[in-house]
Amino acid sequence: MQLIQTVVVKQILTETSKQQLFDQYQSRKLQLQKECDQLQFELKRLERTKNFSPTTLKKHFEKEIQMRKEKIKLLEFQIEQLHILPLGSELKEKEVQALIEVKVGDVWNEEAGQPTIVIKDGIIEDIR
């Protein structure tokens, strides 16, 4: 019988992976800032058309802009934490699903913990 099990994928922090993460965070931050600017522009454009209620329109756009600003703050925090982390640290990257085979007579040991795949610079370093 096959079961689906969650496997944690961790990344070992190296100079290369640290730079890649930093670039990803910066890129996402710039994208969110562009979205905020675009939303401001759209708000002003739609306010001039007078087809929508100004208060409802403004409330909706401000909510969207605020959501993006919160994500930017989170990214800034992640960038700060990235600078603090020492090389060799393990970062949880994601979780994936794996099929495992079980048969009659296998030891059922739930204390064994969740399997983990450790990656270093894109290469599998360890499977625990």
Side-chain angles (χ1 to χ4, degrees), residues 6-63:
T6 302
V7 178
V8 175
V9 178
K10 292 184 177 182
Q11 177 177 320
I12 294 177
L13 196 62
T14 63
E15 273 302 324
T16 306
S17 61
K18 193 172 192 176
Q19 186 61 46
Q20 287 174 342
L21 281 171
F22 178 75
D23 293 343
Q24 287 175 4
Y25 292 155
Q26 282 296 102
S27 167
R28 183 71 183 128
K29 185 177 160 187
L30 286 172
Q31 179 63 34
L32 287 167
Q33 287 171 336
K34 285 180 186 177
E35 289 176 16
C36 285
D37 294 342
Q38 183 64 34
L39 285 167
Q40 290 282 4
F41 175 78
E42 285 295 318
L43 173 61
K44 289 179 181 169
R45 187 180 66 80
L46 290 173
E47 282 178 336
R48 281 188 240 126
T49 61
K50 306 264 194 261
N51 291 343
F52 303 98
S53 163
T55 55
T56 309
L57 189 67
K58 190 170 183 108
K59 186 185 272 187
H60 174 72
F61 273 85
E62 284 178 352
K63 179 182 171 196

Side-chain angles (χ1 to χ4, degrees), residues 10 76 80 123-124:
K10 292 184 177 182
E76 288 170 347
E80 285 176 28
I123 298 171
I124 297 176

Side-chain angles (χ1 to χ4, degrees), residues 56-113:
T56 309
L57 189 67
K58 190 170 183 108
K59 186 185 272 187
H60 174 72
F61 273 85
E62 284 178 352
K63 179 182 171 196
E64 290 295 322
I65 291 169
Q66 189 59 38
M67 282 180 11
R68 283 161 179 80
K69 285 185 178 180
E70 287 173 16
K71 288 179 183 178
I72 289 170
K73 284 181 185 175
L74 176 63
L75 283 167
E76 288 170 347
F77 175 74
Q78 288 175 319
I79 289 170
E80 285 176 28
Q81 295 303 305
L82 184 62
H83 288 305
I84 294 170
L85 277 175
L87 296 179
S89 299
E90 289 185 5
L91 302 174
K92 181 178 173 182
E93 188 172 301
K94 60 184 169 183
E95 291 184 353
V96 294
Q97 300 295 315
L99 285 175
I100 59 168
E101 187 73 37
V102 293
K103 56 188 176 297
V104 174
D106 285 351
V107 176
W108 185 265
N109 186 2
E110 293 197 32
E111 291 86 37

